[in-house]
Amino acid sequence: MSTLQFDKIALIGIGLIGSSIARAVKLKGLAREVAISSRSRETLARAEELGLGTLYCEEARDCVRDADLVIVSVPVGASGAVAEEIAASLKPGAILTDVGSTKASVISQMLPHVPEGVHFIPGHPIAGTEHSGPDAGFADLFEGRWCILTPVEGSQAEPIARLRHFWETLGSKVEEMDPAHHDKVLAIVSHLPHIIAYNIVGTAADLETVTESEVIKYSASGFRDFTRLASSDPTMWRDVCLHNKDAILEMLARFSEDLAYLQRAIRWGEGDKLFDLFTRTRAVRRSIIEAGQDTAAPDFGRHIKSTP
Ligand code: NAP
């Protein structure tokens, strides 16, 4: 049993990530009060039906009043507007963090609004699924996953340590990183794979020589695994592309070069080159399993667990 860490936690945005945090906080008893706000009344009402918090606010500014920890879990493109809205209501000494998938852009949007005396410590839990909304969350989403904190200039050690401890209690392993470096790393491990998946699924859907029923019928041959990524939330991924533009374009350029190399090897029948690459990539998969970041199960261990 964990102990109380904050008197009041405010969750702005209660989709997959916000509601997973809410469930974990409740399960572990980490706050006396959990105030929730969401852009729409429908989502807020659903959060209340699910019993995710103790207080439900239509306005984000009401939600953050007296909160010791404020977690913004909205699409990255909306983080500046949210910061502007809540700024004047933040309690001096409060920790303000976010979970956005891009960091430099979130910092440039939010930081100008952060009042003196509020500890702004951006964050990003490297955990998620292709589902969204308050029903999609689950308490052990962060169990065994990394959470990256990207403190800004002037961030103090004590609030960073408190936030680190919070994520560790949720089951995460925590690392601190420079925001620009985070954006580069995530461009290759997360953003590029999603863009490639969106592209492949789009190409297959456009192919006129193959019917839609054939694409679905024979999908287990590889296509299916891309469709999981390509079914991720369109708003979230539009924002990620627009807000990590430079790093993504750099990785896409590298990817295109490597694809051209593969194309040549196939054209000229250079089997050795193909075999060498496919052997190297197989080893990458093995090291991911060894690092505990996935399982060798046929469903890739992604069946959602049934914790409350
Ligand atoms: P989600 O399930 O779609 O939930 C989004 C939440 O943000 C909802 O409460 C939604 O409110 C609210 N929202 C949407 N647009 C908004 C806007 N323009 N202004 C204010 N609020 C808005 O999203 P999520 O998957 O939890 O993602 C939230 C954040 O976590 C994103 O920044 C994403 O990059 C990051 N993240 C996601 C994953 C993942 O795998 N999904 C992993 C790590 C980090 P309504 O429903 O009321 O409209």
Side-chain angles (χ1 to χ4, degrees):
M1 183 65 194
S2 315
T3 47
L4 200 74
Q5 289 184 8
F6 295 94
D7 192 48
K8 177 178 173 183
I9 295 180
L11 301 174
I12 314 295
I14 196 72
L16 168 73
I17 301 296
S19 77
S20 294
I21 296 171
R23 285 171 167 94
V25 164
K26 186 174 173 181
L27 189 74
K28 293 169 190 278
L30 302 183
R32 194 183 55 76
E33 190 165 22
V34 177
I36 292 174
S37 81
S38 194
R39 179 181 55 166
S40 72
R41 284 191 181 178
E42 292 74 25
T43 302
L44 191 63
R46 185 60 189 146
E48 190 164 5
E49 273 168 29
L50 291 166
L52 296 176
T54 58
L55 187 69
Y56 302 88
C57 311
E58 284 188 12
E59 303 295 334
R61 61 174 72 88
D62 296 332
C63 185
V64 304
R65 272 201 189 98
D66 300 320
D68 312 286
L69 173 64
V70 175
I71 308 178
V72 176
S73 311
V74 302
V76 289
S79 49
V82 167
E84 188 174 9
E85 187 192 339
I86 62 176
S89 309
L90 290 166
K91 176 172 126 173
I95 296 175
L96 171 65
T97 187
D98 79 304
V99 297
S101 306
T102 70
K103 295 277 52 97
S105 155
V106 165
I107 292 170
S108 68
Q109 291 179 72
M110 291 183 74
L111 191 58
H113 302 290
V114 180
E116 188 99 4
V118 169
H119 305 288
F120 178 44
I121 310 164
H124 179 203
I126 313 296
T129 72
E130 66 277 30
H131 303 293
S132 40
D135 286 278
F138 50 103
D140 50 11
L141 175 65
F142 310 107
E143 214 58 69
R145 299 281 168 253
W146 286 99
C147 179
I148 299 175
L149 300 182
T150 61
V152 295
E153 216 181 296
S155 292
Q156 292 170 18
E158 197 265 341
I160 295 175
R162 275 190 87 186
L163 187 60
R164 171 184 277 272
H165 181 54
F166 173 78
W167 279 109
E168 284 170 352
T169 313
L170 264 47
S172 293
K173 301 176 279 185
V174 179
E175 195 150 278
E176 283 176 40
M177 211 179 264
D178 168 72
H181 187 67
H182 164 280
D183 288 354
K184 219 170 222 188
V185 173
L186 268 292
I188 186 68
V189 300
S190 171
H191 307 168
L192 194 63
H194 278 82
I195 290 166
I196 292 167
Y198 281 122
N199 194 48
I200 288 182
V201 176
T203 303
D206 288 346
L207 278 181
E208 282 164 8
T209 49
V210 182
T211 66
E212 204 172 296
S213 65
E214 284 170 318
V215 169
I216 309 282
K217 186 171 163 188
Y218 302 118
S219 62
S221 51
F223 182 68
R224 185 189 60 188
D225 292 337
F226 284 103
T227 61
R228 190 188 69 78
L229 287 183
S231 69
S232 299
D233 189 68
T235 306
M236 168 184 161
W237 283 97
R238 176 203 62 197
D239 280 13
V240 168
C241 290
L242 299 179
H243 289 267
N244 196 20
K245 186 174 162 180
D246 294 344
I248 289 175
L249 288 176
E250 190 184 323
M251 293 308 163
L252 271 175
R254 288 286 297 268
F255 174 79
S256 303
E257 274 176 32
D258 292 344
L259 192 62
Y261 172 86
L262 256 184
Q263 212 171 348
R264 275 183 68 89
I266 294 170
R267 183 181 310 284
W268 299 108
E270 295 170 328
D272 289 356
K273 285 185 179 165
L274 299 175
F275 190 84
D276 285 351
L277 174 67
F278 301 164
T279 306
R280 265 201 298 135
T281 54
R282 204 174 208 197
V284 173
R285 168 88 194 135
R286 266 199 304 271
S287 46
I288 288 172
I289 295 169
E290 278 160 23
Q293 294 301 301
D294 211 337
T295 77
D299 66 358
F300 292 95
R302 284 194 189 94
H303 279 168
I304 291 175
K305 296 165 198 154
S306 57
T307 5

